[in-house]
Amino acid sequence: KAGVTQTPRYLIKTRGQQVTLSCSPISGHRSVSWYQQTPGQGLQFLFEYFSETQRNKGNFPGRFSGRQFSNSRSEMNVSTLELGDSALYLCASSWSAKGDEQYFGPGTRLTVT
Amino acid sequence: GESVGLHLPTLSVQEGDNSIINCAYSNSASDYFIWYKQESGKGPQFIIDIRSNMDKRQGQRVTVLLNKTVKHLSLQIAATQPGDSAVYFCAENSMDSSYKLIFGSGTRLLVRP
């Protein structure tokens, strides 16, 4: 069974631009979560989707948004990029509604210049 | 490889010795805990989990201990191997809610040959 896939793996954007990252969960998984990882802040929760509904959101500004499609694939969007948005963005999926292990993808490395 | 954290605490052990990685979690309401391993350039990899109704759980070469009284979690790795070198994160979640993992800051494990 294929793991969580994320595209693109690397991305360079300029301040003020917007970006869309994509995540395909493991087949059969309905929960998709997004995390931001930086050397200074570590791993921080962005949001979680289950059956196309956002169930939980972390403490990030409204420039960060996401959505989930009927096939469980998910996208996250960051608008008006700032230098501080440079990070590794990780997607994780799980088969259940709660309480079970999440499997992470390799991440998308976003660099904002 | 990508830098997970610039100032992570580091544990250096001799190959073949046992390793113990500690973690203090923050939320007394958390009832599900996970250990992840992250190698350079990769997403976190699930190692082992434990629910709050247990105080010990064993896997292959790994044991997780949970002390709810002092909100402390530890990961023991038996007969540490060079392939165990990585950054290790503990994460906590409340099973009453959807996925919203709160990650610790991580510990870098270096295995000396």
Side-chain angles (χ1 to χ4, degrees):
Chain A
K1 184 184 278 191
V4 177
T5 58
Q6 293 185 245
T7 57
R9 290 294 312 278
Y10 301 92
L11 203 52
I12 300 175
K13 288 286 190 178
T14 305
R15 273 178 300 175
Q17 289 185 314
Q18 67 95 25
V19 67
T20 299
L21 311 181
S22 181
C23 170
S24 292
I26 293 172
S27 178
H29 285 196
R30 295 165 63 191
S31 169
V32 174
S33 299
W34 288 89
Y35 296 84
Q36 182 196 64
Q37 186 173 33
T38 60
Q41 298 298 317
L43 275 151
Q44 292 186 291
F45 172 82
L46 280 158
F47 26 66
E48 187 258 353
Y49 289 88
F50 185 85
S51 294
E52 302 179 66
T53 299
Q54 185 184 90
R55 299 192 299 175
N56 224 329
K57 192 176 192 305
N59 189 26
F60 279 82
R63 301 185 296 107
F64 291 80
S65 63
R67 59 177 175 168
Q68 186 181 32
F69 302 96
S70 58
N71 62 357
S72 294
R73 191 177 69 85
S74 178
E75 289 180 345
M76 67 162 282
N77 185 275
V78 188
S79 63
T80 319
L81 283 166
E82 301 177 0
L83 294 179
D85 297 332
S86 294
L88 181 67
Y89 290 88
L90 292 157
C91 168
S93 75
S94 178
W95 71 272
S96 71
K98 61 182 180 182
D100 286 281
E101 63 257 35
Q102 292 184 299
Y103 295 89
F104 281 82
T108 294
R109 169 66 63 183
L110 172 65
T111 301
V112 182
T113 62
Chain B
E2 293 154 347
S3 173
V4 172
L6 297 178
H7 302 291
L8 292 175
T10 299
L11 174 65
S12 180
V13 300
Q14 190 72 38
E15 180 179 356
D17 287 351
N18 296 333
S19 302
I20 299 177
I21 300 171
N22 296 303
C23 174
Y25 63 91
S26 58
N27 188 353
S28 56
S30 294
D31 52 13
Y32 179 58
F33 306 89
I34 313 172
W35 280 100
Y36 283 96
K37 170 187 180 183
Q38 188 173 25
E39 297 172 286
S40 182
K42 298 183 179 180
Q45 174 189 353
F46 174 89
I47 301 172
I48 191 168
D49 60 1
I50 188 168
R51 304 192 194 281
S52 59
N53 60 352
M54 304 173 69
D55 53 22
K56 180 179 180 179
R57 189 167 188 219
Q58 289 183 291
Q60 186 176 15
R61 280 201 310 118
V62 294
T63 300
V64 55
L65 299 178
L66 174 63
N67 185 329
K68 294 182 289 293
T69 303
V70 294
K71 294 193 291 185
H72 183 267
L73 200 63
S74 69
L75 176 70
Q76 300 177 3
I77 304 174
T80 313
Q81 302 169 0
D84 296 326
S85 292
V87 176
Y88 289 81
F89 294 96
C90 65
E92 58 185 294
N93 195 50
S94 169
M95 287 182 66
D96 286 340
S97 70
S98 63
Y99 291 103
K100 187 177 182 180
L101 290 177
I102 300 171
F103 280 83
S105 56
T107 297
R108 190 182 305 277
L109 176 65
L110 292 177
V111 181
R112 305 188 303 272

